[in-house]
Amino acid sequence: MSRPTVILLRHAEAEGNAERRFIGQDDVGLSPLGRRQADALTRRLRTMPVTRIVSSDLRRCLATVQAFATGAGLEIETDPRWREIANGQWGGLVADQIAQRWPDAWQRYRGGEDVDRPDGERWADVRARVVAAFEELADQLTEDDLVVVSTHGGPGAVLALWATGLTGTAFGGPFGPLANASITTLTLPGPRLLGVNDVGHLPTDLLR
C-alpha cells in the first residue's frame, strides 16, 4: 500500500549562502552555483511521481522548483509559514559582526541556546509555524500523494527533529545544517523520517 509522502527540499544555494550570511527572510535569488544545483535537483525530481508542490514564498525557494513545476505541469502553491527564521537585526550579517554587536547572545547561540534574535524569531517560533503548516498539509493528503515542499534549512531541520521526537535548535541538532538542494523525506502516518539531507543527485563540483 502506498503512503502519503512529503519531500522537503532545502533551496539551492542563494546569494549570501557562500559567505554564511544570516539571510533569514531577506528575499534574495539563487547564486550561479545555486542555479546549477536547481537543475540537478530538477533531474532528480523528474524521476518521482510528484502530485503537488508547496513552497515558501521567498524567491530562492520558488526558483529552486520552478523548472520542475513547469515541466510537470504543476502549480506552485505558496505558504509563508515555510519561510526561514526571521533574523531581525541579525539579517544580512556574518558571524563576526553578530558576535561583536551582541556578544552575550552570540555566545549563548553558539552554545546551543534558542536565543531571541533582536526584532526576530526563535527556533521555537519556526517550529510552531512549520509544524502547523505540515499538519494542515498532511490532513489533505491521500495515500497516493507525493508532495514536494520547497523550504529552507531551518524549517527542514526543525521538522526532522519534530518528526523523530527530538528537541533542539535547527543547527544544534543531529540533522542540521541541511545542505543546499538537499532532500529530506517523511511519510505518513506518523510522520516517519525516511531520509535526511540527501544530496546524492548533486555532482561533487556542486557541493559546497
Side-chain angles (χ1 to χ4, degrees), residues 4-146:
T5 301
V6 177
I7 293 175
L8 301 176
L9 311 179
R10 184 187 176 193
H11 62 79
E13 186 184 84
E15 297 168 357
N17 278 160
E19 294 82 25
R20 300 189 183 279
R21 294 194 178 276
F22 279 60
I23 299 171
Q25 295 186 8
D26 293 347
D27 199 10
V28 300
L30 297 182
S31 68
L33 177 66
R35 290 191 287 273
R36 294 173 61 204
Q37 289 176 335
D39 289 341
L41 184 57
T42 295
R43 291 190 289 272
R44 173 80 176 272
L45 293 175
R46 284 174 179 161
T47 68
M48 304 177 182
V50 176
T51 58
R52 186 173 171 185
I53 304 172
V54 179
S55 178
S56 158
D57 60 343
L58 298 181
R59 281 190 297 155
R60 56 194 186 270
C61 288
L62 293 166
T64 296
V65 291
Q66 185 60 67
F68 171 70
T70 300
L74 293 171
E75 176 186 356
I76 302 175
E77 307 166 38
T78 58
D79 185 340
R81 290 177 296 180
W82 289 103
R83 285 185 178 190
E84 184 58 279
I85 192 169
N87 279 317
Q89 295 179 40
W90 290 9
L93 303 180
V94 296
D96 287 348
Q97 293 170 315
I98 298 171
Q100 183 176 21
R101 299 182 197 183
W102 296 275
D104 178 64
W106 181 251
Q107 184 176 14
R108 290 186 287 118
Y109 171 84
R110 291 288 295 168
E113 184 177 337
D114 189 10
V115 301
D116 287 302
R117 303 176 189 217
D119 299 323
E121 291 181 303
R122 295 179 301 132
W123 286 118
D125 302 320
V126 178
R127 179 172 174 138
R129 60 176 165 83
V130 168
V131 168
F134 179 86
E135 290 181 331
E136 182 179 305
L137 177 64
D139 286 342
Q140 301 168 4
L141 302 185
T142 67
E143 65 180 28
D144 295 322
D145 275 322
L146 175 59

